[in-house]
Structures are given as structure tokens and as C-alpha cells.
Amino acid sequence: MVLKIWKLLRKKGGNVVSIQGRKCYIRTFQEKDAQSLTGLVSRNKYFWSTYEPLQRSEYYTVDAQYKKIQESLYLMDSKREFTFGIFEPGTNNLIGHIALYAVKRLPYSSAFVGYAMDEIYVGKGIVTEAVNMVVKFAFEQVGLHRVEAYVSTQNNASIRVLEKSGFQREGLLRKLLYINGQWVDHYMYARLEDQ
């Protein structure tokens, strides 16, 4: 993975973290992204529902996504979560999202990574690059020791992303999440700072 630049910019309304890669760049969401985020989640509603619960109809509104972004900015100020949009290089075209969330300090020094990609951009290595950028950010800038991820045992594409990104499978979490009418098993993956 090539990490060209990493910047922490002071903007009106808080910090913006932007990291440039080759296939994409990631930037923490700003309130102005609510419309684009609504389009992304709406377009992928049924595609993503294979591995995550369908939401109520109000979730797919600009108001709901605006509130989600506001919450993520509040959590970023306290360094408890960093929620990024994944964008096509050189554009403002939002093609996915990725988050470093549930940040815990010592004695854990860990967090989770979660991500979703627009269906038409799947299979191009973009998510793998975004995961690597977020993990590098977690270790080098947030100062974490461990990044974890849960993935459905049936989600082969996401399993490949994690394994290509240096994550190792550590166990099986039986019937972890209730997704669209059934309890679904998930694998637990993790990557350590010194790997």
C-alpha cells in the first residue's frame, strides 16, 4: 500500500482527517456530506442487506445521515471514533465508507474497523487499500496496539479484504448478530501493531 499523504486539517467545525492512497482517498465525514451519504446508503440498501440488517425507512433520509455525521464528529473530537468516506481520487464522488470505532485506551489500546463499498466498485481493491490506510492511521496516529473486525462467515469478499490487509482469524462468534430474521455467525479477525 502506498500512503502518499496524511493530513490533519483544522477547519471550521472541527478536525478533518484526509489520507491519500492510489485507488482512493479517505476523508472524515463533514456535515456537507449528508446528501452524498444518503445516496450511497440508499443505492446499496439491498446489496448491503446480505450481511447487515435492513434499516427503517427513515434511516435512508438526509436528516438521519446528517445526524449520524454530527454524532461521528462528536466522537472524533473525543478520539473515540473516526468515520471516513471513501472517495474516488481527484473527485468528491463518495463510493464507500469506513470507520475506526469503539476506540479503547489502555489496558486494551484497541478499536474495530468496519466498512462498506458501493456495489459497482466492489472487487477493485479499493476497500483493501482503505482498510490499510485506516489501520496505519490507527497505529501511527491514534496510538493503538490492536485493530479488530467481525465478519460474517459467509462474506467471502470481506474475509479476503481482511486477510489481504494482514488480519488473522482468531475465532468464531456464534450467532453474534440478528440480521434480517436470523442469527448469523461471525469470525473475529485482528491485526496487531507489530505484525
Side-chain angles (χ1 to χ4, degrees), residues 61-77:
T61 64
V62 174
D63 186 53
Q65 297 308 311
Y66 183 84
K67 288 175 183 169
K68 276 187 61 184
I69 290 170
Q70 285 184 317
E71 181 182 2
S72 74
L73 292 170
Y74 171 77
L75 292 169
M76 185 172 71
D77 282 345

Side-chain angles (χ1 to χ4, degrees), residues 113 131 135 147-149 162-163 165-169 189-191:
V113 65
V131 167
V135 168
V147 178
E148 301 175 359
L162 292 170
E163 290 178 350
S165 301
F167 283 72
Q168 294 180 16
R169 187 183 302 173
Y189 275 82
R191 182 167 158 187

Side-chain angles (χ1 to χ4, degrees), residues 106-117:
L106 287 173
Y108 294 101
S109 189
S110 67
F112 283 90
V113 65
Y115 45 84
M117 177 61 61

Side-chain angles (χ1 to χ4, degrees), residues 146 148-150 168-173 186-190:
R146 176 182 171 91
E148 301 175 359
Y150 293 160
Q168 294 180 16
R169 187 183 302 173
E170 294 188 336
L172 174 68
L173 303 164
H186 280 64
Y187 292 128
M188 179 176 177
Y189 275 82

